[in-house]
Amino acid sequence: MKRKLSLWLTGLLMTSLIVSGCSSKPATKKQENQDLNYPTRQIELVVPFAAGGGVDLAARTVAEYLSKEWGQPIVVTNKTGGGGIIGAQYALKDSKPDGYTVLVNNNSSTSMHEAGTSNPTLTIEDNKFISRIATGSIAYAVQTDAEWNNFEEFSKWVKANPEKLTWASVGPAGISAFAVAQWLESIGVDYHKTKMISSEGASDSAAKVAGGHVVLGVHTVGEFAPLVDSGKIKLLAVQSPERNPLYPDIPTTKEQGFEGLTVKWWTGLSFAPGTPDEIVEKWDKAIEKMQKDEEFIKQLEKVKLEPGYLNSEDFTSEVQTETDIFTKLAEETGIRK
């Protein structure tokens, strides 16, 4: 009798375990993301450029939105120098991959740095790309009282006087450098006959143009807007498919006869490699949601940027493609050292 009872209890226990195993389903990615206990403390957004530029303004817009969304403080830290590489290295190499240090990057600290340097400090492989946030059309700016009234006139002057052209850039592999190199190649001017003057970012470049310290500045329309509106600099051309709504009277480079000028500005977010995928996914979903928020759109318009969301996968692919294109340009024009 005892033996029968023991066998019956054993069978009942095994049946219970089997039923329990069948009924318990593994958590889906969505469930895991919802249950993720993150963030629980302050997050640092690292901007590797000076305050007041497009990357900085976009970062502050993101920080304001997500701090409310997640109920945790998000602070912006500007770590300038090295064409964006000092701040990028701090965020990607010197910080823990725990989701609490986020790099707010752009072309200068990713694709252009790798393309323009034979032995880059960082490569795109050192980034775990989260999302692209915004884009901006670049413009060519000179001092208000400069002799040129359009980009065509200016280009003819540069062809005749390449050694007199000075231009500002955060570094030899910054967005200004690649835009200038592509433009000079299109008009048959040797890039190395011109002179680059280092700046800490767009606001510093614009100030150098206004003060007569350099002839040319190349940054986004929005970054130049304060000094354009105050009458201290003027735009000769905007590099975009259509005229920019901020300055509809300024013709595009294509309208003025320049083909093949494709350099554009963007800003996005990266983590250090090794950051958990669940945290990357939570950020990506939050950025996607943010891009549909009316208040965020208004804030982006205030800083004169355009929504440009790409998810993690598409963003990664876009940066890789851009790196390949810029590497070819850097080799052809001699940017790469």
Side-chain angles (χ1 to χ4, degrees):
M1 184 69 181
K2 286 183 180 180
R3 178 176 175 77
K4 287 183 179 181
L5 180 61
S6 176
L7 288 171
W8 180 80
L9 290 172
T10 300
L12 182 63
L13 178 61
M14 290 179 67
T15 301
S16 175
L17 289 172
I18 292 171
V19 171
S20 174
C22 292
S23 61
S24 61
K25 296 179 181 179
T28 64
K29 259 193 170 184
K30 186 175 181 181
Q31 288 172 327
E32 288 173 355
N33 190 263
Q34 288 175 340
D35 296 339
L36 181 67
N37 187 25
Y38 169 93
T40 59
R41 56 184 172 85
Q42 178 176 289
I43 296 171
E44 181 181 24
L45 288 187
V46 179
V47 174
F49 307 104
V55 177
D56 176 72
L57 295 173
R60 294 179 191 281
T61 303
V62 171
E64 182 179 354
Y65 175 86
L66 287 184
S67 61
K68 294 176 182 176
E69 181 78 6
W70 288 342
Q72 293 291 344
I74 300 179
V75 299
V76 176
T77 303
N78 296 87
K79 289 186 177 294
T80 64
I85 298 307
I86 289 178
Q89 183 162 329
Y90 165 79
L92 301 177
K93 292 284 187 76
D94 301 337
S95 302
K96 293 180 180 179
D98 57 5
Y100 289 94
T101 305
V102 187
L103 175 64
V104 192
N105 57 28
N106 82 338
N107 321 59
S108 296
S109 52
T110 54
S111 54
M112 290 177 175
H113 172 67
E114 182 169 344
T117 311
S118 57
N119 186 26
T121 303
L122 296 169
T123 70
I124 59 172
E125 297 298 325
D126 293 313
N127 292 262
K128 193 163 187 174
F129 293 103
I130 303 168
S131 312
R132 193 177 73 179
I133 302 167
T135 59
S137 300
I138 65 170
Y140 297 81
V142 296
Q143 208 172 21
T144 302
D145 59 359
E147 62 186 275
W148 316 284
N149 296 311
N150 56 58
F151 200 44
E152 188 176 6
E153 288 180 6
F154 181 64
S155 296
K156 287 179 180 178
W157 176 82
V158 171
K159 287 186 72 172
N161 307 278
E163 70 285 348
K164 292 183 180 180
L165 175 62
T166 55
W167 46 277
S169 177
V170 295
I175 190 165
S176 303
F178 275 85
V180 167
Q182 193 177 60
W183 158 59
L184 290 177
E185 185 179 48
S186 76
I187 62 174
V189 172
D190 184 350
Y191 171 86
H192 293 290
K193 288 185 177 180
T194 69
K195 186 177 181 181
M196 185 202 85
I197 305 297
S198 295
S199 74
E200 292 186 355
S203 56
D204 184 37
S205 294
K208 280 180 165 60
V209 174
H213 304 294
V214 297
V215 173
L216 177 69
V218 185
H219 285 283
T220 68
V221 174
E223 289 169 325
F224 283 138
L227 291 185
V228 172
D229 294 344
S230 65
K232 294 181 179 179
I233 62 174
K234 64 181 177 181
L235 303 183
L236 298 179
V238 175
Q239 196 158 288
S240 59
E242 299 176 352
R243 292 195 181 195
N244 192 280
L246 284 174
Y247 303 105
D249 294 335
I250 305 299
T252 66
T253 51
K254 188 173 183 179
E255 284 181 278
Q256 298 185 64
F258 298 87
E259 299 287 345
L261 303 186
T262 59
V263 175
K264 63 182 180 181
W265 180 96
W266 55 258
T267 186
L269 304 173
S270 298
F271 278 132
T275 303
D277 291 340
E278 294 81 5
I279 292 179
V280 176
E281 184 181 354
K282 182 160 187 175
W283 269 85
D284 192 14
K285 294 299 181 186
I287 298 300
E288 182 180 22
K289 180 182 176 182
M290 180 184 70
Q291 294 275 331
K292 301 171 184 176
D293 181 77
E294 290 185 7
E295 186 57 34
F296 170 75
I297 298 299
K298 288 179 183 177
Q299 291 300 316
L300 212 57
E301 288 174 351
K302 284 183 181 179
V303 299
K304 298 174 175 60
L305 294 176
E306 304 159 20
Y309 171 73
L310 286 178
N311 65 31
S312 181
E313 183 179 354
D314 291 342
F315 185 27
T316 303
S317 176
E318 179 86 358
V319 177
Q320 180 61 69
T321 299
E322 189 177 73
T323 303
D324 295 339
I325 293 171
F326 288 156
T327 298
K328 184 173 183 293
L329 176 63
E331 291 171 346
E332 291 174 349
T333 58
I335 290 178
R336 190 166 222 190
K337 301 292 185 182

